[in-house]
Structures are given as C-alpha cells and as structure tokens.
Amino acid sequence: MDATKSNLLIATAESSVGAVTPQLAAFAEPLPLKCGRAIANYELAYETYGTLNAARSNAVLVCHALNASHHIAGVYANEPNNVGWWDNMIGPGKPLDTRRFFVVGVNNLGGCHGSTGPLSINPLSGLAWGGDFPVVTVEDWVNAQARLADHLGIQQFAAVMGGSLGAMQCLQWTIAYPRRTRHALVIACAPNLSAQNIAFNEVARQAILTDPDFHGGDYYAHGVQPRRGLRVARMVGHITYLSDDEMASKFGRTLKHGRLNYTFDTEFEIESYLRYQADKFSGYFDANTYLRITKALDYFDPAFEQGGDLAKALKPATAGFLVVSFTTDWRFSPERSREIVHALLKNKRDVSYAEIDAPHGHDAFLLDDARYHKLIAAYYDRIYADAGAA
C-alpha cells in the first residue's frame, strides 16, 4: 500500500462516526393519523451520533427521503459495506460535525427498515399488517418524530435537516412544532408535488398494484414478493432523480456489447444500469412501504387547507431557514424552492437561499459538491454559535 492510499484510509476513518448500532423506541399510546385511523404499540428504529450536551441544545434531526432509513452515517460492525446514506455529510469534521452536534436519524412509521410498517405483525390479528397498514402522511411522521424526541429528552432541535421528502418533513416541523425547531435546512424541496410528479408516482404504484404477486398487499401470506412491479417502479423513480446531462455524461448511447443485437435484452449501458438498480432495490425494499411513501409525497401540501396560500401556511414557523436547490434538479426545480423562500420572506422570516450549479439532477443533494458542503458547514457554524456550545 502506498502512502497516498494509507493517508486516504486514515482520513476516512477519522472523519467517520465508525461502527453504529440501531435502536428501537416503543410507544404504547395510540398515534392519531391524518387518514382518520390510529396506530398503537408501534416502534421506531433510530440511530444517534455524537453526544447530547448538558443543556440538550445541540440535537439535530435528519429526516430521510423515499428509499432511505435511519442509517444515515457510519457502518454496522457486521456489515462493513453498509455505509449510511448521508455519510459524506455527517461525521467528525464533516459539514454536520458530530463532534459538535448530537444527530438523530429515524426510520419513519410505515417503513421497512425496523420501524413498525406493513411487514410488522398486527397485534390484533397476529399476522403481518400487509395491505391493511394505514396510509401515513408527512404530518404523521413528524408527530411520531416528536414523540421520539420526547423519548430522548429533547425539547427543541438545534436544527431539522433533510433533502427531498426529508425536506418536506423539515417544513412540517417548522409549522407543527415551531418552538421545537430553531433552524431548518430545506434541501432540494418543493412545497407540494406538481401534476407531473404525481403522475410519475402513479405509474410506479400501478406497476406494483398490477403485479400478479401483489395479492392486494398481502403477498407475505402467499410467500411471494411483487418484485416485477417494484423493479419497474424503481426504474421510473430513478430516471427522475438524474438530469439528462448526467445520464449523457455517464452513459450516453454506449452499447453494452459494442454492437447492436436487435433484441429486447439490454443493449445500451443505461438499460443495464437501470435494471441493476431495480434488481438491487427489489431485493431489500418492501412494495407496501413504497406505495405508502409515494402517497405521502403526493399528499403533502401545507397550503391546501389555507386556500393555496403558502405564506399563510408557513406563518407559524419561527425557525431560521437555509433553503438549497440545484440547477439541474427538474423533479424539484429551483423555482419550487423559491416559492418557499418567497413565502417565508412574506412572513419576514430569517431565510438564506442558495442555488447550486450542479449537473447531477435531484440526486445532487446526496453527492459530494465542495460549494454545497461548504455552505452547509458554514450554516452549521452559525447554528453551533447560536446553541451557545462554542
């Protein structure tokens, strides 16, 4: 091993939170859901990184997007390749520095990574919830997260942070729990989904719902998984996460075998990539969870009950805001982030806005970009000073 590689490994180890252990918090009290139902005796899977200070003023909640989970940083001791999905953002010396902050990640209710969801046993029937698991919303997730914060003894978060669907949860935190949210980092977000986005989600859901192995959501009892439908759903979703320029740069029209074979097998590298991602995803994600999370995306619209007035919907918010968008994100375009900024400014809120020129599309919020990471780090410097922990 040469010195350069050795130094790289040392730097990586020093900037990682290292081996982490997921935890479960159990809640007996029924949680009222927006759909009109309630769920009791549920569990939330979560992880924490860093140390909660004596004043309990340095906690940061990180909300996950569609296919992620509570595992946001570090690795599991028995799964060294299972790196947290935002590990490049969170850890010692990283933008969200765990030497300063106590970071909490939680798998949302209805998930398939440890929290109570369709895969879990319904205590009333003794069988998996399956298709009978309630439809959940962003509002429900935030209310459940607030209960987890109570469980952890956190009365107020120094910040709530997320990208995409996670950013929608940040917005909801500032509306539902303004006194418990000092800052909100709203990244690659929209105040609601456009008709086009809802359409993409519906195509994905129909792929699952029409899979012969779906069985009305009770496929567990049949010993099968609607993997064909879930594969198509993942391919549709993945296309929307990348920009046209990023696809052209990565794949172009490159042929997998160097020639045209005039078949319906994979011939272009982009086809091979999509099938690979679909196969991988269908091996670990639950179709019932996918249906519910895409519906939660569709339903989120804080301005709906305010006659479409976003400024009125955000009026309860008192947090400081950092809103970030990416130029090539066509799923949640910069124009949608600017809607949030304008609504906040109408309420004379403290808001900073950055539009990052990045070629990666919606997925840019997950990737390494020096300008983006420096911006997040600088904002957390401010939060740290505000917390009185400096």
Side-chain angles (χ1 to χ4, degrees):
M1 179 183 296
D2 63 40
T4 302
K5 291 182 179 179
S6 177
N7 290 338
L8 179 61
L9 289 176
I10 292 170
T12 302
E14 288 176 347
S15 62
S16 172
V17 298
V20 297
T21 303
Q23 303 174 68
L24 282 175
F27 302 88
E29 182 182 354
L31 179 72
L33 303 175
K34 197 166 184 185
C35 68
R37 297 173 65 181
I39 189 165
N41 299 310
Y42 59 93
E43 294 181 322
L44 295 177
Y46 69 98
E47 290 177 13
T48 65
Y49 323 97
T51 302
L52 187 62
N53 64 16
R56 297 180 177 271
S57 63
N58 69 331
V60 174
L61 175 67
V62 175
C63 303
H64 71 75
L66 194 152
N67 64 309
S69 71
H70 54 290
H71 183 44
I72 54 178
V75 297
Y76 295 142
N78 59 340
E79 300 177 55
N81 294 321
N82 188 356
V83 180
W85 59 268
W86 223 352
D87 189 74
N88 64 341
M89 180 69 72
I90 299 160
K94 294 181 181 178
L96 178 44
D97 195 331
T98 50
R99 297 170 302 185
R100 292 177 163 185
F101 295 99
F102 178 70
V103 182
V104 181
V106 56
N107 182 214
N108 288 327
L109 190 67
C112 55
H113 296 292
S115 291
T116 297
L119 282 163
S120 306
I121 299 300
N122 180 347
L124 297 180
S125 67
L127 302 173
W129 277 96
D132 192 45
F133 193 85
V135 172
V136 288
T137 65
V138 168
E139 292 89 338
D140 299 329
W141 290 337
V142 168
N143 290 336
Q145 291 162 4
R147 290 190 177 186
L148 177 63
D150 292 341
H151 171 79
L152 296 173
I154 300 168
Q155 292 304 306
Q156 185 185 67
F157 283 107
V160 180
M161 175 182 182
S164 189
L165 178 55
M168 291 178 169
Q169 295 165 62
C170 295
L171 282 181
Q172 182 59 28
W173 260 97
T174 69
I175 296 168
Y177 299 98
R179 294 184 179 180
R180 303 189 69 171
T181 316
R182 289 206 306 278
H183 292 271
L185 287 82
V186 179
I187 304 169
C189 190
N192 56 29
L193 288 196
S194 65
Q196 184 187 53
N197 272 297
I198 294 172
F200 279 122
N201 285 344
E202 175 59 7
V203 171
R205 285 191 296 268
Q206 284 300 314
I208 293 169
L209 293 168
T210 58
D211 188 316
D213 288 334
F214 183 63
H215 296 287
D218 295 322
Y219 43 87
Y220 318 114
H222 294 265
V224 294
Q225 298 279 341
R227 285 188 173 154
R228 284 168 289 183
L230 192 56
R231 290 179 73 257
V232 174
R234 179 57 173 171
M235 285 193 279
V236 169
H238 208 76
I239 291 168
T240 70
Y241 304 148
L242 302 175
S243 69
D244 184 42
D245 287 345
E246 181 73 354
M247 281 195 180
S249 173
K250 279 188 173 182
F251 308 105
R253 291 181 53 84
T254 304
L255 295 170
K256 184 178 179 182
H257 304 292
R259 66 180 186 280
L260 293 172
N261 292 316
Y262 302 97
T263 71
F264 294 104
D265 199 359
T266 54
E267 296 202 72
F268 293 92
E269 286 290 354
I270 183 59
E271 296 173 313
S272 180
Y273 172 77
L274 287 175
R275 292 193 191 189
Y276 168 77
Q277 292 293 337
D279 288 340
K280 184 171 69 171
F281 185 73
S282 67
Y284 73 83
F285 209 82
D286 180 60
N288 276 322
T289 290
Y290 195 92
L291 293 175
R292 282 153 182 78
I293 293 181
T294 56
K295 269 297 182 183
L297 269 165
D298 291 356
Y299 287 142
F300 182 73
D301 186 1
F304 178 76
E305 294 178 359
Q306 303 295 339
D309 189 335
L310 184 60
K312 190 174 181 180
L314 289 171
K315 192 171 183 179
T318 58
F321 283 83
L322 174 63
V323 180
V324 182
S325 68
F326 299 91
T327 53
T328 56
D329 182 355
W330 58 273
R331 182 150 199 185
F332 287 178
S333 67
E335 288 79 5
R336 305 309 314 278
S337 287
R338 291 198 290 269
E339 288 179 41
I340 297 169
V341 173
H342 292 154
L344 291 168
L345 290 176
K346 281 185 179 180
N347 290 320
K348 295 180 169 52
R349 296 297 178 254
D350 180 0
V351 54
S352 299
Y353 174 63
E355 193 170 303
I356 306 295
D357 184 9
H360 312 293
H362 188 58
D363 268 356
F365 82 93
L366 296 168
L367 303 178
D368 290 318
D369 182 290
R371 297 157 301 170
Y372 165 47
H373 279 210
K374 285 180 180 178
L375 171 69
I376 300 299
Y379 196 79
Y380 272 112
D381 285 342
R382 172 186 170 185
I383 295 172
Y384 184 61
D386 287 350

